[in-house]
Amino acid sequence: MFTTLVAAALVALVSADGIPDFVVPGRCAKVANQDKFDLRRYSGRWYQTQIIDNAYQPYTRCIHSNYDYSDSDYGFKVTTAGFSPNNEYLRLQGKIYPTKDFPAAHMLIDFPTVFAAPYEVIETDYETYSCVYSCIDWNGYKSEFGFVFSRTPQTSGPANDKCASVFRKNGVDFALFNDVAHTAECVYRA
């Protein structure tokens, strides 16, 4: 059911505007998901330090998120913020949560103005890094995004090194990832 819904959304998007730049020939990597994923330990502040460029994120630098775990929702209320290319501070709020169809580390992104997409935690130690993959494929095309999250806003460090290895091991081309700038002008209010 979920795959059909996502495929229909992708077809509608492609039909409405032509093929977007982020839809390319290929299939999604079959990534492993974190074993025994602990949602409570995953909560808190995360900084995006490297990403595969994502047209659905309006920000390009100082990107950070606060994951607020909720027992009643069995998932996270997420606030993500950062600066746009026009130097405007932007904030979006949404939810990321597991579904009954997949293990807990394979969640669903549910933000306004963005169609639902997978959020797969490939690996995390909860304290320093999280390697996240989001990809939808259909009819020989894919829309692929990847995220390196760190508990600190460093564009070089253990999170990037660890996730580079993890993504490569799972068949994701780490050369597609770009640094997310975290400079002295960053404001972290998410």
Side-chain angles (χ1 to χ4, degrees):
M1 175 69 176
F2 171 70
T3 304
T4 304
L5 177 64
V6 170
L10 188 57
V11 168
L13 177 68
V14 170
S15 299
D17 296 329
I19 298 178
D21 292 343
F22 59 85
V23 177
V24 297
R27 300 200 49 83
C28 296
K30 301 291 183 214
V31 300
N33 289 158
Q34 173 83 20
D35 286 333
K36 300 177 184 169
F37 184 67
D38 185 335
L39 281 86
R40 286 174 191 83
R41 287 185 64 200
Y42 197 75
S43 64
R45 183 174 307 271
W46 288 100
Y47 301 87
Q48 292 181 25
T49 58
Q50 289 189 313
I51 62 172
I52 295 175
D53 288 336
N54 185 338
Y56 293 105
Q57 280 196 158
Y59 6 75
T60 55
R61 57 193 174 82
C62 308
I63 306 170
H64 59 288
S65 300
N66 188 54
Y67 288 67
D68 183 19
Y69 178 73
S70 167
D71 272 327
S72 61
D73 292 335
Y74 187 58
F76 302 100
K77 294 176 183 170
V78 180
T79 302
T80 299
F83 286 97
S84 74
N86 298 330
N87 206 32
E88 182 181 1
Y89 184 80
L90 302 172
R91 183 187 313 204
L92 291 175
Q93 294 182 314
K95 294 180 181 181
I96 297 177
Y97 53 90
T99 68
K100 63 181 179 181
D101 300 324
F102 298 103
H106 186 147
M107 297 179 274
L108 185 67
I109 299 169
D110 185 6
F111 273 70
T113 72
V114 176
F115 67 89
Y119 181 103
E120 295 185 68
V121 179
I122 302 173
E123 189 173 308
T124 185
D125 69 353
Y126 304 99
E127 313 231 341
T128 57
Y129 74 92
S130 179
C131 316
V132 175
Y133 186 66
S134 181
C135 189
I136 299 168
D137 59 17
W138 182 76
N139 205 24
Y141 287 89
K142 67 180 177 178
S143 174
E144 179 179 59
F145 305 107
F147 307 87
V148 175
F149 289 98
S150 174
R151 291 292 190 181
T152 62
Q154 300 170 338
T155 54
S156 63
N160 291 350
D161 296 339
K162 182 64 177 175
C163 287
S165 173
V166 167
F167 280 113
R168 287 183 185 114
K169 182 174 71 177
N170 278 275
V172 179
D173 183 1
F174 200 72
L176 298 173
F177 284 72
N178 296 303
D179 288 345
V180 175
H182 288 274
T183 60
E185 66 187 3
C186 290
V187 176
Y188 301 113
R189 294 181 286 201

